[in-house]
Amino acid sequence: MTTPLILASASPRRRELLARAGYKFEVVTADVTELARSEFSLRELTIANATRKALALARRRPKAVVLAADTLVALEGEVMGKPENLDHARAILRRLSGRTHEVSTAVYIRAGGGQFASFSEISRVKFRTLSDSAINHYIRKINPLDKAGAYAAQAPGDQIIASIEGSLTNVIGLPMEKTIAALKEFGLVPRSYCVSKTTAGAGSAACAGSRRNTR
């Protein structure tokens, strides 16, 4: 019997990415307060938060493979997390308007016996120039309060992103290319994998299949 996989995240976007890839998994959130330290770089902060989440849950579920992740946005080195309220979300989107920012997602995977994997990905996202009316319209379409940077890269009809350099799934919340390769080292292989890849603002679908299930 294959070791069970646990996603230590309440993010519906990470759940959807893992499910679309063909993994069977359980969702159990880790009761950990995320760090917000100015002396940490974007990559360091996401790695620290993902590690703390995974280790906290791994102690409770030592017979499972635990996957935790953390995503943050940075503009010119200033790290931005989730907005505190709608006014804060509007202010963040105004700052990102017409500019290019970085999105970092770190992943930490832990299994019983001490096996672990840790990695991170950084993508560069360029926003279109946004008017206040465009920002208000966007906020009415999505809930910005549970999203780093106050936006969702996978939002239907998204008109705020001009282009993405790097992994689209990283911007959504889980870099699936690296995640699938890492989970394979734990004996977890998806049934199939299908995700949109974005280059210079143009999207295309790429899919791959596997003969093995995760269980």
Side-chain angles (χ1 to χ4, degrees):
M1 181 177 179
T2 304
T3 304
L5 172 63
I6 295 178
L7 173 63
S9 173
S11 166
R13 294 161 293 281
R14 294 187 183 118
R15 290 201 303 266
E16 181 180 359
L17 287 170
L18 279 178
R20 285 180 60 193
Y23 289 102
K24 292 182 179 179
F25 58 94
E26 180 183 355
V27 176
V28 183
T29 56
D31 186 16
V32 173
T33 301
E34 295 182 353
L35 300 176
R37 295 183 177 176
S38 59
E39 68 270 24
F40 282 19
S41 70
L42 177 65
R43 192 186 297 272
E44 289 170 339
L45 195 54
T46 53
I47 290 174
N49 281 326
T51 302
R52 294 174 75 245
K53 294 174 189 177
L55 293 181
L57 189 54
R59 286 191 288 267
R60 293 163 45 194
R61 301 291 296 272
K63 296 183 179 181
V65 174
V66 176
L67 185 155
D70 187 60
T71 302
L72 289 172
V73 166
L75 178 65
E76 296 180 348
E78 180 184 346
V79 176
M80 299 178 180
K82 299 171 184 175
E84 298 172 359
N85 50 51
L86 292 180
D87 285 340
H88 188 202
R90 292 185 182 93
I92 291 175
L93 292 174
R94 288 190 193 101
R95 290 199 62 196
L96 298 178
S97 172
R99 306 171 76 179
T100 299
H101 63 272
E102 293 184 329
V103 180
S104 176
T105 298
V107 178
Y108 190 98
I109 306 172
R110 182 82 175 191
Q115 182 184 1
F116 74 95
S118 177
F119 55 90
S120 64
E121 180 92 12
I122 291 182
S123 301
R124 290 172 56 82
V125 180
K126 183 177 181 180
F127 265 29
R128 303 181 190 278
T129 300
L130 306 175
S131 64
D132 284 347
S133 61
I135 289 173
N136 287 329
H137 176 70
Y138 184 74
I139 286 178
R140 285 194 295 269
K141 291 197 307 178
I142 69 160
N143 172 21
L145 301 184
D146 67 343
K147 299 171 180 64
Y151 73 95
Q154 77 282 14
D158 192 346
Q159 297 298 315
I160 70 171
I161 295 176
S163 64
I164 296 175
E165 295 179 22
S167 168
L168 170 61
T169 56
N170 174 60
V171 181
I172 295 173
L174 193 62
M176 289 305 298
E177 297 85 358
K178 288 186 176 180
T179 299
I180 288 174
L183 286 175
K184 186 177 181 181
E185 299 302 314
F186 292 81
L188 300 175
V189 181
R191 293 191 302 272
S192 62
Y193 177 44
C194 184
V195 66
S196 295
K197 294 185 177 180
T198 300
T199 303
S204 62
C207 305
S210 171
R211 295 181 180 179
R212 291 181 57 191
N213 292 338
T214 55
R215 295 193 180 194

Short mmCIF file of all heavy atoms in Angstrom, two decimals, residues 71-136:
data_model
loop_
_atom_site.label_atom_id
_atom_site.label_comp_id
_atom_site.label_asym_id
_atom_site.label_seq_id
_atom_site.Cartn_x
_atom_site.Cartn_y
_atom_site.Cartn_z
N THR A 71 3.42 30.83 -0.68
CA THR A 71 3.57 31.71 -1.84
C THR A 71 3.53 33.16 -1.40
O THR A 71 2.64 33.55 -0.64
CB THR A 71 2.45 31.46 -2.87
OG1 THR A 71 2.46 30.10 -3.29
CG2 THR A 71 2.63 32.37 -4.09
N LEU A 72 4.48 33.94 -1.88
CA LEU A 72 4.51 35.37 -1.59
C LEU A 72 4.89 36.15 -2.85
O LEU A 72 5.49 35.61 -3.78
CB LEU A 72 5.51 35.68 -0.48
CG LEU A 72 5.14 35.23 0.94
CD1 LEU A 72 6.31 35.42 1.88
CD2 LEU A 72 3.91 35.97 1.45
N VAL A 73 4.54 37.42 -2.84
CA VAL A 73 4.81 38.34 -3.94
C VAL A 73 5.78 39.40 -3.46
O VAL A 73 5.71 39.84 -2.31
CB VAL A 73 3.49 38.99 -4.42
CG1 VAL A 73 3.75 40.18 -5.32
CG2 VAL A 73 2.61 37.97 -5.12
N ALA A 74 6.68 39.83 -4.34
CA ALA A 74 7.61 40.91 -3.99
C ALA A 74 7.73 41.89 -5.15
O ALA A 74 7.84 41.49 -6.31
CB ALA A 74 8.98 40.36 -3.62
N LEU A 75 7.68 43.16 -4.82
CA LEU A 75 7.88 44.23 -5.80
C LEU A 75 9.12 45.01 -5.40
O LEU A 75 9.16 45.62 -4.32
CB LEU A 75 6.66 45.15 -5.85
CG LEU A 75 6.75 46.33 -6.81
CD1 LEU A 75 6.84 45.86 -8.26
CD2 LEU A 75 5.56 47.27 -6.62
N GLU A 76 10.14 44.97 -6.25
CA GLU A 76 11.41 45.65 -5.98
C GLU A 76 11.96 45.30 -4.60
O GLU A 76 12.43 46.16 -3.86
CB GLU A 76 11.23 47.16 -6.12
CG GLU A 76 10.87 47.59 -7.54
CD GLU A 76 10.70 49.08 -7.69
OE1 GLU A 76 10.63 49.78 -6.64
OE2 GLU A 76 10.63 49.56 -8.83
N GLY A 77 11.86 44.02 -4.26
CA GLY A 77 12.42 43.52 -3.01
C GLY A 77 11.50 43.63 -1.81
O GLY A 77 11.79 43.04 -0.76
N GLU A 78 10.40 44.34 -1.92
CA GLU A 78 9.45 44.45 -0.81
C GLU A 78 8.43 43.31 -0.87
O GLU A 78 7.69 43.18 -1.85
CB GLU A 78 8.72 45.79 -0.85
CG GLU A 78 7.72 45.96 0.30
CD GLU A 78 6.93 47.24 0.22
OE1 GLU A 78 7.32 48.14 -0.57
OE2 GLU A 78 5.91 47.35 0.93
N VAL A 79 8.41 42.49 0.16
CA VAL A 79 7.54 41.32 0.18
C VAL A 79 6.11 41.73 0.50
O VAL A 79 5.85 42.51 1.42
CB VAL A 79 8.02 40.28 1.21
CG1 VAL A 79 7.05 39.11 1.30
CG2 VAL A 79 9.42 39.79 0.85
N MET A 80 5.16 41.19 -0.27
CA MET A 80 3.74 41.45 -0.06
C MET A 80 3.02 40.13 0.18
O MET A 80 3.13 39.20 -0.62
CB MET A 80 3.12 42.13 -1.29
CG MET A 80 3.73 43.46 -1.64
SD MET A 80 2.97 44.13 -3.14
CE MET A 80 3.87 45.68 -3.28
N GLY A 81 2.29 40.06 1.26
CA GLY A 81 1.50 38.87 1.55
C GLY A 81 0.06 39.07 1.13
O GLY A 81 -0.24 39.74 0.13
N LYS A 82 -0.85 38.52 1.91
CA LYS A 82 -2.27 38.66 1.63
C LYS A 82 -2.76 40.00 2.18
O LYS A 82 -2.32 40.45 3.23
CB LYS A 82 -3.05 37.52 2.28
CG LYS A 82 -2.64 36.14 1.77
CD LYS A 82 -3.28 35.03 2.59
CE LYS A 82 -2.78 33.66 2.14
NZ LYS A 82 -3.30 32.56 2.99
N PRO A 83 -3.67 40.67 1.48
CA PRO A 83 -4.17 41.96 1.96
C PRO A 83 -5.00 41.81 3.23
O PRO A 83 -5.65 40.80 3.46
CB PRO A 83 -5.04 42.46 0.80
CG PRO A 83 -5.41 41.24 0.03
CD PRO A 83 -4.27 40.28 0.19
N GLU A 84 -4.97 42.85 4.06
CA GLU A 84 -5.70 42.82 5.32
C GLU A 84 -7.18 43.10 5.13
O GLU A 84 -8.02 42.64 5.91
CB GLU A 84 -5.11 43.87 6.27
CG GLU A 84 -3.64 43.61 6.62
CD GLU A 84 -3.03 44.74 7.40
OE1 GLU A 84 -3.75 45.74 7.66
OE2 GLU A 84 -1.84 44.65 7.75
N ASN A 85 -7.53 43.86 4.10
CA ASN A 85 -8.92 44.20 3.81
C ASN A 85 -9.01 44.64 2.35
O ASN A 85 -7.99 44.66 1.63
CB ASN A 85 -9.43 45.30 4.75
CG ASN A 85 -8.49 46.49 4.81
OD1 ASN A 85 -8.09 47.02 3.77
ND2 ASN A 85 -8.12 46.89 6.02
N LEU A 86 -10.20 45.01 1.89
CA LEU A 86 -10.39 45.36 0.48
C LEU A 86 -9.64 46.64 0.10
O LEU A 86 -9.13 46.76 -1.01
CB LEU A 86 -11.88 45.50 0.16
CG LEU A 86 -12.69 44.19 0.21
CD1 LEU A 86 -14.14 44.46 -0.13
CD2 LEU A 86 -12.11 43.15 -0.74
N ASP A 87 -9.58 47.61 1.01
CA ASP A 87 -8.83 48.83 0.72
C ASP A 87 -7.34 48.52 0.53
O ASP A 87 -6.68 49.08 -0.34
CB ASP A 87 -9.03 49.86 1.83
CG ASP A 87 -10.40 50.52 1.78
OD1 ASP A 87 -11.03 50.47 0.71
OD2 ASP A 87 -10.83 51.07 2.81
N HIS A 88 -6.84 47.62 1.38
CA HIS A 88 -5.44 47.20 1.25
C HIS A 88 -5.23 46.46 -0.07
O HIS A 88 -4.20 46.65 -0.74
CB HIS A 88 -5.06 46.31 2.44
CG HIS A 88 -3.60 46.00 2.50
ND1 HIS A 88 -3.10 44.90 3.18
CD2 HIS A 88 -2.52 46.62 1.95
CE1 HIS A 88 -1.79 44.89 3.06
NE2 HIS A 88 -1.41 45.90 2.32
N ALA A 89 -6.20 45.64 -0.47
CA ALA A 89 -6.10 44.92 -1.74
C ALA A 89 -6.04 45.90 -2.91
O ALA A 89 -5.24 45.74 -3.84
CB ALA A 89 -7.30 43.99 -1.91
N ARG A 90 -6.87 46.95 -2.87
CA ARG A 90 -6.84 47.97 -3.92
C ARG A 90 -5.48 48.66 -3.97
O ARG A 90 -4.94 48.92 -5.05
CB ARG A 90 -7.95 48.99 -3.70
CG ARG A 90 -9.37 48.45 -3.89
CD ARG A 90 -10.40 49.55 -3.77
NE ARG A 90 -11.75 49.02 -3.90
CZ ARG A 90 -12.51 48.66 -2.87
NH1 ARG A 90 -12.03 48.79 -1.61
NH2 ARG A 90 -13.72 48.17 -3.06
N ALA A 91 -4.93 48.96 -2.80
CA ALA A 91 -3.63 49.63 -2.74
C ALA A 91 -2.53 48.76 -3.33
O ALA A 91 -1.64 49.25 -4.05
CB ALA A 91 -3.31 50.00 -1.30
N ILE A 92 -2.58 47.45 -3.04
CA ILE A 92 -1.58 46.52 -3.60
C ILE A 92 -1.68 46.47 -5.12
O ILE A 92 -0.67 46.55 -5.83
CB ILE A 92 -1.76 45.11 -2.99
CG1 ILE A 92 -1.37 45.10 -1.51
CG2 ILE A 92 -0.94 44.08 -3.77
CD1 ILE A 92 -1.64 43.79 -0.81
N LEU A 93 -2.90 46.35 -5.63
CA LEU A 93 -3.09 46.26 -7.09
C LEU A 93 -2.66 47.56 -7.77
O LEU A 93 -2.12 47.52 -8.89
CB LEU A 93 -4.55 45.93 -7.41
CG LEU A 93 -5.00 44.52 -6.99
CD1 LEU A 93 -6.49 44.34 -7.21
CD2 LEU A 93 -4.22 43.45 -7.76
N ARG A 94 -2.87 48.70 -7.12
CA ARG A 94 -2.40 49.96 -7.70
C ARG A 94 -0.88 49.97 -7.79
O ARG A 94 -0.31 50.47 -8.77
CB ARG A 94 -2.88 51.14 -6.85
CG ARG A 94 -4.36 51.44 -6.95
CD ARG A 94 -4.72 52.76 -6.29
NE ARG A 94 -6.17 52.89 -6.13
CZ ARG A 94 -6.81 52.68 -4.98
NH1 ARG A 94 -6.11 52.33 -3.89
NH2 ARG A 94 -8.11 52.82 -4.92
N ARG A 95 -0.21 49.43 -6.79
CA ARG A 95 1.26 49.40 -6.79
C ARG A 95 1.78 48.46 -7.87
O ARG A 95 2.82 48.71 -8.48
CB ARG A 95 1.78 48.95 -5.43
CG ARG A 95 1.58 49.98 -4.32
CD ARG A 95 2.49 49.69 -3.17
NE ARG A 95 3.88 49.78 -3.56
CZ ARG A 95 4.89 49.29 -2.84
NH1 ARG A 95 4.65 48.67 -1.70
NH2 ARG A 95 6.14 49.40 -3.26
N LEU A 96 1.08 47.36 -8.09
CA LEU A 96 1.52 46.38 -9.09
C LEU A 96 1.18 46.81 -10.51
O LEU A 96 1.77 46.29 -11.48
CB LEU A 96 0.89 45.02 -8.81
CG LEU A 96 1.24 44.36 -7.46
CD1 LEU A 96 0.50 43.04 -7.31
CD2 LEU A 96 2.74 44.15 -7.33
N SER A 97 0.25 47.75 -10.66
CA SER A 97 -0.23 48.18 -11.97
C SER A 97 0.91 48.64 -12.87
O SER A 97 1.73 49.50 -12.50
CB SER A 97 -1.23 49.33 -11.79
OG SER A 97 -1.59 49.91 -13.03
N GLY A 98 0.99 48.06 -14.06
CA GLY A 98 1.97 48.45 -15.06
C GLY A 98 3.40 48.07 -14.75
O GLY A 98 4.32 48.47 -15.46
N ARG A 99 3.61 47.26 -13.73
CA ARG A 99 4.96 46.92 -13.29
C ARG A 99 5.15 45.39 -13.26
O ARG A 99 4.19 44.63 -13.34
CB ARG A 99 5.23 47.51 -11.90
CG ARG A 99 4.99 48.99 -11.84
CD ARG A 99 5.05 49.54 -10.44
NE ARG A 99 6.41 49.67 -9.95
CZ ARG A 99 6.71 50.14 -8.75
NH1 ARG A 99 5.76 50.52 -7.91
NH2 ARG A 99 7.98 50.25 -8.37
N THR A 100 6.41 44.99 -13.15
CA THR A 100 6.75 43.57 -13.08
C THR A 100 7.17 43.23 -11.66
O THR A 100 8.00 43.91 -11.07
CB THR A 100 7.90 43.23 -14.05
OG1 THR A 100 7.48 43.52 -15.39
CG2 THR A 100 8.27 41.76 -13.95
N HIS A 101 6.57 42.18 -11.11
CA HIS A 101 6.90 41.73 -9.77
C HIS A 101 7.29 40.25 -9.78
O HIS A 101 7.13 39.57 -10.80
CB HIS A 101 5.74 41.96 -8.80
CG HIS A 101 4.50 41.19 -9.16
ND1 HIS A 101 3.54 41.66 -10.03
CD2 HIS A 101 4.06 39.97 -8.77
CE1 HIS A 101 2.57 40.77 -10.15
NE2 HIS A 101 2.86 39.72 -9.40
N GLU A 102 7.81 39.78 -8.67
CA GLU A 102 8.22 38.38 -8.54
C GLU A 102 7.23 37.62 -7.66
O GLU A 102 6.71 38.17 -6.68
CB GLU A 102 9.62 38.28 -7.93
CG GLU A 102 10.72 38.83 -8.84
CD GLU A 102 12.10 38.61 -8.24
OE1 GLU A 102 12.23 38.61 -7.00
OE2 GLU A 102 13.06 38.43 -9.02
N VAL A 103 7.01 36.38 -8.02
CA VAL A 103 6.19 35.47 -7.22
C VAL A 103 7.04 34.26 -6.86
O VAL A 103 7.58 33.60 -7.75
CB VAL A 103 4.93 35.00 -7.97
CG1 VAL A 103 4.11 34.05 -7.09
CG2 VAL A 103 4.08 36.19 -8.39
N SER A 104 7.17 34.00 -5.57
CA SER A 104 7.95 32.85 -5.10
C SER A 104 7.06 31.87 -4.38
O SER A 104 6.29 32.26 -3.49
CB SER A 104 9.07 33.31 -4.15
OG SER A 104 9.77 32.19 -3.63
N THR A 105 7.15 30.61 -4.76
CA THR A 105 6.51 29.53 -4.01
C THR A 105 7.58 28.56 -3.56
O THR A 105 8.39 28.11 -4.37
CB THR A 105 5.46 28.79 -4.85
OG1 THR A 105 4.42 29.69 -5.23
CG2 THR A 105 4.85 27.64 -4.05
N ALA A 106 7.59 28.26 -2.28
CA ALA A 106 8.49 27.24 -1.74
C ALA A 106 7.67 26.03 -1.34
O ALA A 106 6.52 26.15 -0.89
CB ALA A 106 9.25 27.78 -0.53
N VAL A 107 8.26 24.85 -1.51
CA VAL A 107 7.59 23.59 -1.17
C VAL A 107 8.52 22.78 -0.27
O VAL A 107 9.73 22.69 -0.53
CB VAL A 107 7.26 22.78 -2.45
CG1 VAL A 107 6.61 21.44 -2.08
CG2 VAL A 107 6.34 23.59 -3.36
N TYR A 108 7.94 22.20 0.76
CA TYR A 108 8.70 21.30 1.65
C TYR A 108 7.89 20.02 1.77
O TYR A 108 6.70 20.05 2.12
CB TYR A 108 8.91 21.93 3.02
CG TYR A 108 9.89 21.17 3.90
CD1 TYR A 108 11.22 21.57 4.00
CD2 TYR A 108 9.48 20.06 4.63
CE1 TYR A 108 12.12 20.89 4.80
CE2 TYR A 108 10.37 19.36 5.43
CZ TYR A 108 11.69 19.78 5.52
OH TYR A 108 12.58 19.09 6.31
N ILE A 109 8.52 18.89 1.47
CA ILE A 109 7.86 17.58 1.54
C ILE A 109 8.60 16.73 2.57
O ILE A 109 9.83 16.64 2.54
CB ILE A 109 7.88 16.88 0.17
CG1 ILE A 109 7.26 17.79 -0.90
CG2 ILE A 109 7.13 15.55 0.23
CD1 ILE A 109 7.42 17.26 -2.32
N ARG A 110 7.84 16.12 3.46
CA ARG A 110 8.44 15.34 4.55
C ARG A 110 7.74 13.99 4.67
O ARG A 110 6.52 13.90 4.58
CB ARG A 110 8.28 16.09 5.88
CG ARG A 110 8.91 15.41 7.08
CD ARG A 110 10.39 15.69 7.15
NE ARG A 110 11.00 15.14 8.36
CZ ARG A 110 12.23 15.42 8.77
NH1 ARG A 110 12.96 16.30 8.09
NH2 ARG A 110 12.73 14.87 9.85
N ALA A 111 8.54 12.93 4.87
CA ALA A 111 7.99 11.59 5.07
C ALA A 111 8.58 10.99 6.33
O ALA A 111 9.60 11.47 6.86
CB ALA A 111 8.29 10.70 3.87
N GLY A 112 7.92 9.95 6.82
CA GLY A 112 8.44 9.24 7.98
C GLY A 112 9.83 8.69 7.71
O GLY A 112 10.17 8.34 6.58
N GLY A 113 10.65 8.64 8.74
CA GLY A 113 12.01 8.18 8.58
C GLY A 113 12.98 9.29 8.26
O GLY A 113 14.18 9.04 8.09
N GLY A 114 12.47 10.51 8.14
CA GLY A 114 13.34 11.66 7.93
C GLY A 114 13.56 12.06 6.49
O GLY A 114 14.28 13.03 6.23
N GLN A 115 13.00 11.33 5.51
CA GLN A 115 13.16 11.73 4.12
C GLN A 115 12.47 13.06 3.87
O GLN A 115 11.33 13.27 4.30
CB GLN A 115 12.59 10.67 3.18
CG GLN A 115 12.77 10.99 1.69
CD GLN A 115 12.11 9.97 0.78
OE1 GLN A 115 11.49 9.01 1.24
NE2 GLN A 115 12.24 10.17 -0.52
N PHE A 116 13.13 13.97 3.16
CA PHE A 116 12.49 15.25 2.88
C PHE A 116 13.02 15.82 1.57
O PHE A 116 14.08 15.42 1.06
CB PHE A 116 12.73 16.26 4.02
CG PHE A 116 14.12 16.82 4.07
CD1 PHE A 116 14.42 18.03 3.46
CD2 PHE A 116 15.13 16.14 4.73
CE1 PHE A 116 15.70 18.55 3.51
CE2 PHE A 116 16.41 16.65 4.79
CZ PHE A 116 16.70 17.86 4.18
N ALA A 117 12.27 16.76 1.04
CA ALA A 117 12.68 17.50 -0.15
C ALA A 117 12.23 18.94 0.03
O ALA A 117 11.15 19.20 0.56
CB ALA A 117 12.06 16.91 -1.41
N SER A 118 13.07 19.87 -0.40
CA SER A 118 12.75 21.29 -0.28
C SER A 118 13.22 22.01 -1.53
O SER A 118 14.34 21.79 -1.99
CB SER A 118 13.43 21.88 0.96
OG SER A 118 13.17 23.27 1.06
N PHE A 119 12.36 22.84 -2.10
CA PHE A 119 12.72 23.59 -3.30
C PHE A 119 11.82 24.82 -3.41
O PHE A 119 10.81 24.94 -2.72
CB PHE A 119 12.59 22.73 -4.55
CG PHE A 119 11.23 22.10 -4.73
CD1 PHE A 119 10.23 22.77 -5.43
CD2 PHE A 119 10.96 20.85 -4.20
CE1 PHE A 119 8.97 22.19 -5.59
CE2 PHE A 119 9.70 20.27 -4.35
CZ PHE A 119 8.71 20.94 -5.04
N SER A 120 12.22 25.72 -4.27
CA SER A 120 11.41 26.92 -4.50
C SER A 120 11.49 27.32 -5.97
O SER A 120 12.38 26.87 -6.71
CB SER A 120 11.88 28.09 -3.62
OG SER A 120 13.19 28.47 -3.97
N GLU A 121 10.55 28.13 -6.38
CA GLU A 121 10.47 28.60 -7.76
C GLU A 121 10.13 30.08 -7.73
O GLU A 121 9.34 30.53 -6.90
CB GLU A 121 9.39 27.83 -8.51
CG GLU A 121 9.22 28.22 -9.95
CD GLU A 121 10.05 27.36 -10.90
OE1 GLU A 121 10.58 26.33 -10.45
OE2 GLU A 121 10.17 27.74 -12.07
N ILE A 122 10.71 30.86 -8.63
CA ILE A 122 10.36 32.27 -8.76
C ILE A 122 9.95 32.55 -10.20
O ILE A 122 10.66 32.19 -11.14
CB ILE A 122 11.53 33.19 -8.35
CG1 ILE A 122 11.77 33.10 -6.84
CG2 ILE A 122 11.24 34.63 -8.74
CD1 ILE A 122 12.86 34.01 -6.32
N SER A 123 8.79 33.18 -10.36
CA SER A 123 8.30 33.61 -11.66
C SER A 123 8.17 35.14 -11.65
O SER A 123 8.00 35.75 -10.60
CB SER A 123 6.92 32.99 -11.96
OG SER A 123 6.97 31.58 -11.93
N ARG A 124 8.24 35.72 -12.83
CA ARG A 124 8.10 37.17 -12.97
C ARG A 124 6.78 37.47 -13.69
O ARG A 124 6.52 36.92 -14.77
CB ARG A 124 9.28 37.76 -13.73
CG ARG A 124 10.57 37.72 -12.91
CD ARG A 124 11.78 38.13 -13.74
NE ARG A 124 11.63 39.44 -14.34
CZ ARG A 124 11.86 40.60 -13.72
NH1 ARG A 124 12.26 40.58 -12.44
NH2 ARG A 124 11.71 41.75 -14.33
N VAL A 125 5.97 38.32 -13.06
CA VAL A 125 4.64 38.62 -13.58
C VAL A 125 4.54 40.12 -13.89
O VAL A 125 4.83 40.95 -13.04
CB VAL A 125 3.54 38.25 -12.56
CG1 VAL A 125 2.15 38.58 -13.11
CG2 VAL A 125 3.64 36.78 -12.19
N LYS A 126 4.16 40.42 -15.12
CA LYS A 126 3.96 41.82 -15.52
C LYS A 126 2.47 42.13 -15.58
O LYS A 126 1.71 41.41 -16.22
CB LYS A 126 4.60 42.10 -16.89
CG LYS A 126 4.47 43.56 -17.31
CD LYS A 126 5.17 43.82 -18.64
CE LYS A 126 5.04 45.29 -19.03
NZ LYS A 126 5.72 45.57 -20.33
N PHE A 127 2.07 43.19 -14.89
CA PHE A 127 0.67 43.62 -14.89
C PHE A 127 0.41 44.62 -16.00
O PHE A 127 1.30 45.41 -16.37
CB PHE A 127 0.33 44.28 -13.55
CG PHE A 127 -0.29 43.37 -12.54
CD1 PHE A 127 -0.01 42.01 -12.53
CD2 PHE A 127 -1.15 43.86 -11.57
CE1 PHE A 127 -0.58 41.17 -11.59
CE2 PHE A 127 -1.71 43.04 -10.63
CZ PHE A 127 -1.44 41.70 -10.64
N ARG A 128 -0.80 44.63 -16.50
CA ARG A 128 -1.25 45.71 -17.35
C ARG A 128 -1.43 46.97 -16.49
O ARG A 128 -1.50 46.89 -15.27
CB ARG A 128 -2.59 45.35 -18.01
CG ARG A 128 -2.55 44.06 -18.83
CD ARG A 128 -3.90 43.79 -19.47
NE ARG A 128 -3.94 42.46 -20.06
CZ ARG A 128 -3.46 42.15 -21.25
NH1 ARG A 128 -2.91 43.10 -22.00
NH2 ARG A 128 -3.54 40.91 -21.72
N THR A 129 -1.52 48.11 -17.12
CA THR A 129 -1.82 49.34 -16.40
C THR A 129 -3.30 49.33 -16.04
O THR A 129 -4.16 49.17 -16.92
CB THR A 129 -1.48 50.58 -17.25
OG1 THR A 129 -0.08 50.55 -17.56
CG2 THR A 129 -1.79 51.86 -16.48
N LEU A 130 -3.60 49.48 -14.75
CA LEU A 130 -4.96 49.31 -14.25
C LEU A 130 -5.53 50.63 -13.77
O LEU A 130 -4.90 51.33 -12.96
CB LEU A 130 -4.99 48.30 -13.11
CG LEU A 130 -4.37 46.93 -13.38
CD1 LEU A 130 -4.37 46.10 -12.11
CD2 LEU A 130 -5.13 46.21 -14.48
N SER A 131 -6.72 50.95 -14.22
CA SER A 131 -7.44 52.11 -13.69
C SER A 131 -8.14 51.70 -12.40
O SER A 131 -8.28 50.51 -12.09
CB SER A 131 -8.47 52.60 -14.71
OG SER A 131 -9.46 51.59 -14.91
N ASP A 132 -8.59 52.68 -11.63
CA ASP A 132 -9.32 52.37 -10.40
C ASP A 132 -10.59 51.59 -10.69
O ASP A 132 -10.96 50.68 -9.94
CB ASP A 132 -9.67 53.66 -9.65
CG ASP A 132 -8.47 54.25 -8.92
OD1 ASP A 132 -7.44 53.54 -8.79
OD2 ASP A 132 -8.56 55.40 -8.46
N SER A 133 -11.26 51.91 -11.80
CA SER A 133 -12.49 51.18 -12.14
C SER A 133 -12.17 49.74 -12.51
O SER A 133 -12.93 48.82 -12.17
CB SER A 133 -13.21 51.88 -13.30
OG SER A 133 -12.40 51.91 -14.46
N ALA A 134 -11.03 49.50 -13.18
CA ALA A 134 -10.63 48.14 -13.52
C ALA A 134 -10.30 47.35 -12.26
O ALA A 134 -10.63 46.16 -12.16
CB ALA A 134 -9.44 48.16 -14.47
N ILE A 135 -9.65 47.99 -11.31
CA ILE A 135 -9.33 47.33 -10.04
C ILE A 135 -10.60 46.97 -9.28
O ILE A 135 -10.74 45.85 -8.77
CB ILE A 135 -8.41 48.23 -9.19
CG1 ILE A 135 -7.01 48.30 -9.83
CG2 ILE A 135 -8.32 47.71 -7.76
CD1 ILE A 135 -6.08 49.29 -9.18
N ASN A 136 -11.53 47.90 -9.21
CA ASN A 136 -12.79 47.63 -8.51
C ASN A 136 -13.57 46.51 -9.18
O ASN A 136 -14.16 45.64 -8.51
CB ASN A 136 -13.64 48.89 -8.44
CG ASN A 136 -13.09 49.91 -7.46
OD1 ASN A 136 -12.47 49.55 -6.46
ND2 ASN A 136 -13.31 51.18 -7.73
#
